[in-house]
């Protein structure tokens, strides 16, 4: 064996093809090994970039879940129970409150978007949509017929840009017996028009029945003249 003094690196002994020992210092040997291992054939089965990214993500998620379960009473089972309870609360709130509506009175929320038409025109359009099973459009046209009819009867003052919610609130003061039904009708209109909900035949029939009932209802005398509080 060959020894070197001081800080010299210990040589690496290799054998050439003729079995003659060859001394190579440690640094060149390492570089030769790195060049050999950089050959693509040694990396054919390595995971690709996406696989490595997913692997790191799952490791991070596992660490996070482990840390959370360690800090939660009951460990993993306690954490699962908490997640289920929170999910149930969110679902209950969503079911109770429905899809969030845009703020009444915002641009584009006007009840009438296609110019002046009579209540009869809107009722005809609603009936046409209903006969074709287009319940969203039928609900919208029937709500417009209700409001236009109240305007024609001077129970509401015609006002551009009025929303369904505003019309229901104003009309409910002169028709208090139908105030709740008017608010519900406005909410159905908003759900269909702005909330992404889908109407069905029962929803339309309720608005149709409300329209008919309002036609037969006499307003209270103290607020009927202007449609506003006395």
């Amino acid at each position: 064996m060959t020894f070197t003094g001081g800080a010299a690196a210990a040589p690496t002994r290799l054998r050439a093809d003729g079995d003659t020992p060859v001394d190579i210092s440690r640094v060149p040997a390492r570089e030769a090994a790195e060049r050999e291992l950089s050959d693509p054939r040694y990396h054919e089965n390595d995971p690709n970039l996406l696989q490595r990214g997913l692997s790191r993500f799952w490791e991070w998620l596992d660490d996070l879940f482990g840390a959370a379960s360690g800090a939660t009473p009951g460990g993993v089972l306690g954490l699962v129970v908490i997640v289920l309870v929170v999910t149930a609360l969110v679902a209950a709130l969503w079911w109770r409150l429905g899809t969030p509506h845009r703020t009444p009175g915002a641009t584009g929320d006007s009840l009438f978007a296609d110019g002046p038409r009579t209540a009869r025109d809107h009722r005809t359009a609603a009936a046409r949509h209903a006969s074709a099973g287009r319940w969203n459009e039928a609900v919208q046209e029937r709500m417009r017929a209700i409001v236009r009819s109240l305007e024609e009867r001077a129970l509401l003052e015609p006002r551009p840009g009025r929303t369904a919610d505003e019309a229901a609130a104003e009309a409910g003061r002169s028709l208090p017996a139908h105030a709740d039904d008017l608010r519900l009708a406005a909410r159905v209109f908003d759900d269909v028009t702005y909330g992404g909900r889908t109407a069905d035949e029962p929803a339309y029939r309720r608005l149709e029945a409300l329209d008919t009932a309002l036609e037969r209802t006499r307003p209270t005398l103290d607020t009927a003249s202007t449609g506003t509080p006395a």
Side-chain angles (χ1 to χ4, degrees), residues 93-133:
L93 286 173
W94 188 272
W95 177 264
R96 176 67 180 84
L97 300 177
T99 304
H101 299 160
R102 296 191 296 177
T103 303
T107 302
D109 283 358
S110 175
L111 182 63
F112 299 100
D114 55 355
R117 296 166 64 191
T118 66
R120 182 175 181 178
D121 291 336
H122 288 296
R123 290 189 183 107
T124 300
R128 184 172 62 252
H129 288 306
S131 65

Side-chain angles (χ1 to χ4, degrees), residues 6 31 35 52 72 105 149 192 194-195 218 224 226:
E31 292 175 349
R35 285 194 299 272
R52 292 197 299 272
T72 303
S149 176
V192 168
Y194 312 119
R218 299 184 63 181
T226 61

